């Protein structure tokens, strides 16, 4: 997987926005669900958002509901995470991942392929 920041990059002030993208490199990956996770130093990897690659359904962890939006562009084999109203607590390394099935489970164990990670820093 190839991930990168969109628009503003990885540094943003509190209340600002960032967009991350994640491009699948193969057909097998593109047929699976996709998820976004984050992991701060000393903490476990946390599910942020998921999207069913085939059905288009989305779901989010409670802490980001109403602020983050996961989406996809099937023609580009790309998933996105739009992050609005960012808080310092959102500071973390963000990872995209391709699931083992067409669903996007909340557990990291449900994913096979992982992006390299993008550091997002939200300053106060």
């Amino acid at each position: 997987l190839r991930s990168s920041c969109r628009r503003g990059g990885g540094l943003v002030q509190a209340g600002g926005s960032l967009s991350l993208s994640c491009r699948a490199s193969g057909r097998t990956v593109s047929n699976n669900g996709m998820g976004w996770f984050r992991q701060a130093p000393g903490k476990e990897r946390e599910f942020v958002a998921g999207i069913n690659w085939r059905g288009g359904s989305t779901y989010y962890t409670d802490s980001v509901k109403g602020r983050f939006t996961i989406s996809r562009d099937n023609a580009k084999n790309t998933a996105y995470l739009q992050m609005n109203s960012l808080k310092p607590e959102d500071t973390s390394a963000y990872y995209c991942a391709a699931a083992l099935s067409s669903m996007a489970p909340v557990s990291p164990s449900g994913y096979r392929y992982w992006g390299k990670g993008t550091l997002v820093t939200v300053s106060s």
Side-chain angles (χ1 to χ4, degrees), residues 62-82:
D62 287 343
S63 63
V64 307
K65 284 182 179 179
R67 300 189 297 119
F68 291 9
T69 302
I70 187 171
S71 61
R72 61 187 170 97
D73 185 334
N74 289 335
K76 298 180 179 179
N77 291 331
T78 301
Y80 303 91
L81 184 67
Q82 177 65 46

Side-chain angles (χ1 to χ4, degrees), residues 39-107:
Q39 186 170 23
K43 293 188 175 182
E44 296 296 317
R45 189 160 296 187
E46 175 191 20
F47 173 83
V48 176
I51 184 167
N52 186 323
W53 201 256
R54 305 183 76 86
S57 62
T58 62
Y59 47 99
Y60 304 87
T61 192
D62 287 343
S63 63
V64 307
K65 284 182 179 179
R67 300 189 297 119
F68 291 9
T69 302
I70 187 171
S71 61
R72 61 187 170 97
D73 185 334
N74 289 335
K76 298 180 179 179
N77 291 331
T78 301
Y80 303 91
L81 184 67
Q82 177 65 46
M83 302 182 289
N84 298 326
S85 301
L86 282 162
K87 306 174 181 179
E89 305 91 270
D90 296 317
T91 296
S92 188
Y94 284 74
Y95 299 84
C96 66
L100 296 168
S101 71
S102 62
M103 304 298 294
V106 300
S107 173

Side-chain angles (χ1 to χ4, degrees), residues 99-121:
L100 296 168
S101 71
S102 62
M103 304 298 294
V106 300
S107 173
S109 64
Y111 297 81
R112 180 174 183 179
Y113 301 104
W114 292 85
K116 291 182 290 186
T118 300
L119 180 62
V120 173
T121 301

